[in-house]
Amino acid sequence: MTSFDDVLQEAGPFGRCQRRIFLLFCLVSVPWAGVYVGIVFQGFTPDHRCAEPAAAALAARCGWSPEDGRRLPAPVLNGTGEPRPDGCRRYDRDWNRTGLTCDPRELEPEPGTPTAACGHGWEYDYEGRRSFVTEFDLVCSNSWLVDLYQATLNVGFLVGSIATGYLADRFGRKVSFLLSNVLNGLMGILVAVAPNYATLLVFRTFFGFGVKGGWVVGYVLITEIVGVEYRRTVGVLYQMFFSVGILLLPLLAYFITDWRWLQVAITAPYILFLSYYWFIPESPRWLLSQNQKSKAVAITEAMAKENHMTLSKNIEVLASFMDLIRTPRMRKHTFILSFNWFTSAVVYQGLIMRLGILGGNVYIDFLISGLRIGRRLPFAAANIVAGISCFATAFIPDGMFWFKTVVACIGRLGITMAFEMVVFVNTELYPTFVRNLGVSVCSTLCDVGGIVAPFLLYRLAVIWLELPLIIFGSLAFLAGGLVLLLPETRGVPLPDTIEDIEFPENQCRHFGKIKDAAALCYYK
């Protein structure tokens, strides 16, 4: 029987048509970086202090220096670094009483002067950046709401990836991709104009609902239209465009300092992606799984024509959540891949967001963290390298700043590689009729990790700044060990049925037909 992979060899495994579609989809990865880690800039928390209007009026009338104007109303924190005013407490003093002197030395607080919570809001050292933190006063007792902002996005990712994955396997890759971008464009703009924090969270959740699902659908579609020998290449490059977005984001944020306009800039590409209706086809492999042979043939012939190739072979016609766990090997794949999605999200997002609590130049630090390169053994090794780096970074003294930064970057590189590999390995371990659903369901653990990461980072860092790194390192080690229980998939054709997974020797029949196929088969 002629398989679709055999037909792809005749149509051109990675010809002009696939290259065009691939490049179009790569652009989808760029704005996702802004959605996923844009909180570093949109939720930037500058130095702040309690607002004391009466004290400020006295300082202006008496001509105090800025240092005295900040120091006298608030207790001074003497932790690591330079002493600075407490951003969440103020001296409980009446600055409106008569007879106050203009001499700041006479107004020095006595030891034991009572303090109180901020009663008149906060003042911020904006440093040219306006974030939703400063707009909605999400500091001190309300700082946990910043964590919630990122958590709601991941809730949207979780629900949306399952829903979009089901729709993609039920109604097609193309229509699901386009519908997700309609939602992305609408919700992204609503986030930018949200009048209060409650509505911001609602719109942010729906924004996440569409963003990740559309990205996964694009990934699955391109892996289904290229030859087996190109799957790994297109998978890695598709995800590396996320790094392009990471590198562009600090530049964009540098020039767009208002979080609302930055949100508009991040959303605009999703509106442009609606034009893909005229430029991308449906997946012929999915059409065959739905017994729509005539449409699959027409699309494949069009691909061959664009690739200047001629077809001579006939294409043969080749679910539900339970299909992902019904058989032993499918259950094992689902568990291991889900855990690796979870770990990759926690460690990657945690290390990126950690920049926001370390101080320094957030633009340069973010840019450095985004620089990166980019099957089974490399997958496991990437997790283990990330784990070792997390442990090492935690115990390197702060005085060895550059060495600590280099080791931390190695950790980010390792988990980035693991993040890239879990996606394309995921597509290779599920049959066509549940491939999009399988990737979406497993990747929901990534969204759970994204929900956990900000709370894990910020709350544990209060106990010890490096404690989150110990947790990250432990998760990465465990994930790396579990990867070794997966089969080798390099060079193996995409499975079309559950039987191809449970009885991998059936896949070996393709090895003589595919150029540069691996000498290994599943579980061999």
Side-chain angles (χ1 to χ4, degrees):
M1 183 179 73
T2 303
S3 72
F4 185 70
D5 288 295
D6 298 323
V7 175
L8 268 182
Q9 297 303 307
E10 282 199 342
F14 194 54
R16 177 182 174 182
C17 179
Q18 288 101 323
R19 289 195 296 270
R20 174 180 59 80
I21 297 168
F22 168 65
L23 289 175
L24 287 174
F25 273 115
C26 280
L27 297 178
V28 177
S29 289
V30 177
W32 193 34
V35 177
Y36 194 50
V37 294
I39 187 176
V40 173
F41 302 106
Q42 292 179 301
F44 178 69
T45 303
D47 290 338
H48 53 88
R49 55 194 174 276
C50 296
E52 281 284 6
L58 180 63
R61 187 173 73 248
C62 296
W64 290 351
S65 68
E67 292 75 17
D68 288 333
R70 288 191 295 264
R71 176 178 55 83
L72 293 175
V76 175
L77 298 176
N78 290 301
T80 58
E82 293 293 326
R84 56 187 177 83
D86 190 329
C88 299
R89 305 289 295 179
R90 60 182 176 85
Y91 286 121
D92 193 8
R93 305 169 69 178
D94 182 6
W95 292 98
N96 286 312
R97 74 178 188 271
T98 59
L100 285 179
T101 177
C102 277
D103 188 348
R105 291 172 297 180
E106 296 183 15
L107 294 175
E108 290 286 349
E110 298 290 336
T113 301
T115 63
C118 299
H120 303 284
W122 288 264
E123 294 178 357
Y124 299 94
D125 294 330
Y126 281 98
E127 300 180 0
R129 166 135 244 108
R130 183 176 177 84
S131 70
F132 65 79
V133 172
T134 61
E135 182 172 335
F136 300 119
D137 286 334
L138 304 183
V139 294
C140 301
S141 62
N142 290 328
S143 61
W144 67 276
L145 292 173
V146 182
D147 307 348
L148 190 60
Y149 177 83
Q150 191 69 3
T152 55
L153 176 72
N154 284 279
V155 169
F157 282 170
L158 189 155
V159 179
S161 60
I162 294 178
T164 307
Y166 170 78
L167 292 174
D169 285 331
R170 179 69 179 83
F171 300 105
R173 315 318 195 198
K174 180 176 178 177
V175 67
S176 299
F177 173 79
L178 293 172
L179 287 175
S180 72
N181 282 286
V182 171
L183 184 63
N184 296 342
L186 176 61
M187 290 300 138
I189 295 300
L190 288 177
V191 168
V193 299
N196 54 58
Y197 192 66
T199 55
L200 174 65
L201 293 182
V202 172
F203 297 146
R204 174 82 164 167
T205 303
F206 281 103
F207 191 37
F209 186 96
V211 168
K212 185 186 172 188
W215 184 86
V216 172
V217 170
Y219 181 87
V220 170
L221 197 155
I222 62 171
T223 59
E224 290 184 338
I225 64 172
V226 301
V228 61
E229 64 268 41
Y230 292 98
R231 281 203 320 262
R232 182 179 185 277
T233 301
V234 298
V236 171
L237 291 176
Y238 180 75
Q239 295 174 76
M240 284 187 69
F241 271 77
F242 180 90
S243 294
V244 174
I246 289 286
L247 298 177
L248 291 176
L249 181 59
L251 181 64
L252 192 66
Y254 181 80
F255 290 104
I256 305 177
T257 57
D258 187 288
W259 74 273
R260 292 182 182 274
W261 284 109
L262 182 59
Q263 175 66 30
V264 171
I266 291 170
T267 302
Y270 290 108
I271 299 174
L272 295 177
F273 294 153
L274 294 175
S275 65
Y276 283 18
Y277 174 84
W278 292 279
F279 302 114
I280 63 171
E282 182 54 85
S283 166
R285 196 185 295 266
W286 176 81
L287 290 169
L288 289 174
S289 75
Q290 303 297 306
N291 296 318
Q292 299 183 44
K293 182 179 177 181
S294 59
K295 292 182 180 179
V297 169
I299 291 173
T300 307
E301 288 178 342
M303 291 170 57
K305 181 178 180 180
E306 188 173 343
N307 292 340
H308 304 292
M309 305 290 282
T310 303
L311 294 182
S312 63
K313 296 179 179 179
N314 292 321
I315 301 176
E316 301 293 340
V317 178
L318 303 173
S320 68
F321 168 74
M322 292 304 298
D323 290 310
L324 306 180
I325 59 174
R326 181 174 292 125
T327 57
R329 285 174 177 165
M330 291 280 281
R331 279 196 298 272
K332 184 169 77 171
H333 294 174
T334 299
F335 170 75
I336 295 175
L337 291 168
S338 296
F339 184 79
N340 270 270
W341 274 102
F342 173 82
T343 300
S344 296
V346 169
V347 179
Y348 181 82
Q349 191 174 153
L351 290 177
I352 287 289
M353 293 178 67
R354 188 170 178 264
L355 297 172
I357 62 176
L358 293 181
N361 187 311
V362 68
Y363 301 102
I364 295 176
D365 292 345
F366 190 94
L367 181 65
I368 293 173
S369 76
L371 294 172
R372 58 176 178 170
I373 302 174
R375 296 245 228 250
R376 187 175 68 172
L377 289 178
F379 191 3
N383 276 296
I384 292 171
V385 166
I388 292 173
S389 298
C390 286
F391 280 120
T393 303
F395 294 102
I396 295 174
D398 291 337
M400 303 175 68
F401 173 76
W402 283 108
F403 182 57
K404 191 180 183 86
T405 299
V406 168
V407 175
C409 285
I410 292 174
R412 283 190 285 267
L413 173 63
I415 203 62
T416 293
M417 294 175 66
F419 218 151
E420 290 180 344
M421 298 183 77
V422 70
V423 182
F424 66 77
V425 169
N426 209 155
T427 63
E428 295 172 334
L429 291 177
Y430 287 112
T432 300
F433 76 104
V434 289
R435 180 169 296 121
N436 215 115
L437 181 62
V439 175
S440 297
V441 167
C442 289
S443 71
T444 58
L445 268 292
C446 167
D447 307 320
V448 173
I451 295 170
V452 170
F455 293 98
L456 188 67
L457 174 68
Y458 293 124
R459 299 316 120 202
L460 292 183
V462 173
I463 302 172
W464 177 34
L465 183 62
E466 311 298 356
L467 182 57
L469 290 176
I470 304 299
I471 305 298
F472 298 160
S474 301
L475 289 173
F477 271 120
L478 181 56
L482 288 174
V483 166
L484 296 176
L485 300 178
L486 291 173
E488 176 59 67
T489 61
R490 180 170 58 90
V492 178
L494 285 175
D496 290 318
T497 66
I498 290 181
E499 286 70 25
D500 288 338
I501 301 293
E502 295 301 318
F503 304 101
E505 59 273 11
N506 294 339
Q507 292 291 83
C508 295
R509 71 182 184 274
H510 295 287
F511 279 152
K513 305 176 183 179
I514 297 177
K515 181 181 178 182
D516 297 328
L520 297 174
C521 193
Y522 283 94
Y523 297 96
K524 186 173 180 181

